[in-house]
Amino acid sequence: MPERTHSRESEIDVTKASARLPGLDIDITHQQSPGGEWEQVSINVRATPSFEALGRSFEAVDPFLLWVQAVRLMWMPWLLTAQTMMLPGGWPRRLPNAE
């Protein structure tokens, strides 16, 4: 839930939102001047372990294998439907009418 603060000294309206995910912290800050002359949005992302360590772990992964798995997941519903239609009596049976 965004947190809203207002300072009388500076008259700047500040809204903050934070998200905590496993290994990743995201903080978003929105500031706007009272007259609307300017506005500022800051997004801070912090990874634990570091982005460098995360990148090293992805280097060990075969990109072709990831692509093959993504394509398989994308086509799986269509292939299962085609397989079902090829079975004897594969057309979906109708449910009895509820009359």
Side-chain angles (χ1 to χ4, degrees):
M1 188 80 177
E3 174 185 317
R4 207 170 173 87
T5 59
H6 183 76
S7 172
R8 289 187 181 198
E9 298 89 33
S10 63
E11 294 295 324
I12 296 175
D13 194 20
V14 179
T15 304
K16 295 180 182 180
S18 297
R20 305 288 177 246
L21 303 170
L24 189 66
D25 296 336
I26 304 169
D27 295 315
I28 301 172
T29 304
H30 176 259
Q31 299 178 2
Q32 187 171 8
S33 67
E37 297 90 25
W38 59 268
E39 107 181 80
Q40 176 181 348
V41 175
S42 301
I43 302 173
N44 297 317
V45 181
R46 181 179 34 239
T48 308
S50 68
F51 287 113
E52 182 180 346
L54 184 64
R56 281 194 307 263
S57 68
F58 281 129
E59 286 175 0
V61 177
D62 182 10
F64 182 73
L65 182 62
L66 287 175
W67 180 82
V68 168
Q69 289 175 346
V71 169
R72 184 182 301 155
L73 287 172
M74 181 179 68
W75 280 98
M76 190 58 65
W78 296 103
L79 294 174
L80 289 175
T81 302
Q83 182 181 14
T84 303
M85 293 176 82
M86 295 300 238
L87 294 173
W91 290 101
R93 302 185 196 273
R94 294 182 185 207
L95 294 174
N97 291 336
E99 294 178 7

